[in-house]
Amino acid sequence: MKRSETRTVAVIGGGPAGASTTLELARLGIETVLIERSDGSGNPVGECLAPSANALFLRPGLDSVLGSAGALPSHGNRSSWGGDGRAASRDFLREPFGHGWHLDRPAFNRALLDAVEIAGVAVCREHRVTSLERSGRGWRITTASPEGACAMQASILVDASGRRAMVARQMGVRRRILDSQVAAVAFLDVDNQSPPLQDTTTVIEAAPGGWWYAALLPNRQLAVAWFTDPDLLAKSAVWRPAGWWALLETSEIVGALVSSHGFGRPQRISV
């Protein structure tokens, strides 16, 4: 990307929404630039794709993403929402789009950005938007990157920055909070002496004060999250590894999954 360029559309945010939007614009012949603040690395949360997502990944430009990212096929969900405590299974055999997927999110995000570049679209990786200004009938966008500052013009802006809502916030839009639920997430490593977990079923278990979620990742880590309200999280200190682990030990289904396959205590909890 040059120091100053003009595009018809600038998409801010290179996650699934931003990348798929950019590819569709490119397919329509609309000159577009994709601006992403990371290089696709990090440890973003959100590891499961439902079977319905397969329709998107059949499109040209996206059909190789799941394979490139090493995604694991997931053939069902197992959940316990109360009752007698037993988990109910729902397989994906009858899903018209096939099975779901468990993702290595950094690899998945990088594969998405690669797909956009292969389609001939300019991708600004590691570009953090520092200012947005109205310029005539369009927008002037300034970014900062390891290579220095960059300025560009665009007629249309697409805010695909997700929860950050970066464009909307800079335009003064106030967030409407409908639910303040949070998740305390850990990525657990397995003891090599334990039998490897092969089951890629997504597991959900309701418990007093919230619910647990677990999914096996392509790198053989287990993503485990405790969903609850912020005040309950603070009172129980589940945002700390010791408190999180102590609560997990009271779980019957997810706790048993963790202990039976030798997954160890987390070093860090992300909220």
Side-chain angles (χ1 to χ4, degrees):
M1 172 61 68
K2 297 177 182 178
R3 294 278 173 181
S4 181
E5 287 197 11
T6 300
R7 290 288 190 276
T8 303
V9 180
V11 178
I12 298 179
S20 57
T21 298
T22 302
L23 282 169
E24 187 65 14
L25 291 170
R27 188 183 69 80
L28 296 172
I30 299 172
E31 195 173 29
T32 306
V33 60
L34 177 62
I35 304 170
E36 166 57 31
R37 65 174 180 167
S38 77
D39 62 355
S41 61
N43 207 4
V45 177
E47 303 77 25
C48 295
L49 281 179
S52 56
N54 285 318
L56 173 65
F57 290 98
L58 293 174
R59 293 185 177 187
L62 287 173
D63 48 357
S64 64
V65 166
L66 292 171
S68 299
L72 277 180
S74 175
H75 296 283
N77 296 331
R78 190 163 68 253
S79 58
S80 170
W81 290 111
D84 59 8
R86 289 184 295 181
S89 295
R90 176 178 177 270
D91 62 58
F92 295 149
L93 288 175
R94 297 180 182 85
E95 288 288 340
F97 296 110
H99 57 69
W101 299 92
H102 285 184
L103 306 174
D104 174 337
R105 275 303 299 277
F108 178 68
N109 288 0
R110 288 192 297 270
L112 282 173
L113 295 179
D114 290 344
V116 173
E117 286 183 323
I118 291 170
V121 179
V123 177
C124 296
R125 304 189 195 216
E126 295 186 272
H127 277 248
R128 179 176 54 86
V129 176
T130 55
S131 70
L132 294 170
E133 299 175 1
R134 280 287 191 181
S135 177
R137 300 182 66 180
W139 298 86
R140 177 177 172 82
I141 307 156
T142 305
T143 67
S145 75
E147 288 75 37
C150 178
M152 61 192 82
Q153 296 281 138
S155 301
I156 299 171
L157 274 182
V158 175
D159 188 353
S161 59
R163 186 169 178 267
R164 291 184 300 126
M166 197 279 301
V167 176
R169 287 188 175 191
Q170 288 213 22
M171 299 308 299
V173 176
R174 296 185 61 184
R175 185 187 296 275
R176 294 177 59 199
I177 298 175
L178 303 179
D179 195 328
S180 57
Q181 186 180 71
V182 295
V185 185
F187 296 93
L188 306 183
D189 293 303
V190 69
D191 177 353
N192 291 330
Q193 303 302 314
S194 301
L197 177 63
Q198 303 293 342
D199 187 357
T200 57
T201 302
T202 305
V203 181
I204 296 171
E205 178 188 3
W211 51 282
W212 287 101
Y213 152 97
L216 182 67
L217 305 184
N219 64 1
R220 314 320 292 181
Q221 285 185 317
L222 189 69
V224 182
W226 169 246
F227 289 82
T228 188
D229 289 332
D231 58 330
L232 298 178
L233 185 75
K235 289 177 183 177
S236 60
V238 180
W239 48 275
R240 294 174 176 165
W244 187 93
W245 186 260
L247 183 63
L248 179 64
E249 289 184 318
T250 68
S251 158
E252 295 183 10
I253 298 172
V254 175
L257 180 69
V258 169
S259 62
S260 63
H261 292 280
F263 288 98
R265 296 181 178 226
Q267 302 298 313
R268 179 173 177 267
I269 303 296
S270 299
V271 178

